[in-house]
Amino acid sequence: QVHLVESGGDLVRPGGSLRLSCVGSGFTVDRYAMGWFRQAPGKEREEVSCISASDGRTYYPSSVKGRFTIDRDAAKNMVYLQMNSLKPEDTAVYHCATKQSYYCSGEFDYWGQGTQVTVSS
């Protein structure tokens, strides 16, 4: 059974950094595409990063490109999201997700419960 648990969310000042972690069970993180999504109150869910299992390619939307970095540690079965130069508009619940596919395109099937990131002075 696929299970994902995120951690690392916190209150941080604008310009600060956070590193989110996601531990997987029931699968291995280098065999499935892994994504990070976020959802702020009143807004649609937004994908902020993905790493493919086929070749390790990463994807970032323009809203976070250059500030966020996704990586994975297969030995620990974990995926991380390093977030730098945080802005108030990055405030959201961040979810880790995966699916039974190598590729980032398409829907994700499995979701973690989320971790709150708040960027505020």
Side-chain angles (χ1 to χ4, degrees):
Q1 183 177 358
V2 174
H3 195 53
L4 299 163
V5 179
E6 305 94 334
S7 62
D10 205 346
L11 170 64
V12 63
R13 293 184 183 277
S17 297
L18 277 178
R19 184 170 173 84
L20 305 183
S21 300
C22 172
V23 60
S25 58
F27 74 107
T28 51
V29 298
D30 59 347
R31 293 292 188 93
Y32 289 2
M34 299 296 302
W36 283 96
F37 292 75
R38 68 186 180 187
Q39 188 160 23
K43 294 188 177 181
E44 291 191 357
R45 187 172 62 200
E46 176 188 18
E47 184 175 16
V48 296
S49 185
C50 184
I51 183 167
S52 72
S54 58
D55 55 10
R57 287 191 184 183
T58 55
Y59 158 80
Y60 307 95
S62 58
S63 57
V64 307
K65 196 167 188 176
R67 302 188 297 121
F68 288 13
T69 303
I70 188 171
D71 66 315
R72 62 189 171 202
D73 184 337
K76 297 180 179 180
N77 217 40
M78 294 190 71
V79 176
Y80 305 96
L81 184 68
Q82 178 67 42
M83 305 187 295
N84 298 327
S85 303
L86 283 162
K87 305 175 181 180
E89 52 263 43
D90 294 319
T91 296
V93 176
Y94 284 71
H95 297 269
C96 174
T98 190
K99 55 181 170 176
Q100 292 177 321
S101 168
Y102 286 167
Y103 307 106
C104 287
S105 59
E107 297 295 317
F108 281 72
D109 304 311
Y110 305 99
W111 298 82
Q113 84 289 348
T115 187
Q116 176 71 47
V117 172
T118 303
V119 185
S120 175
S121 54

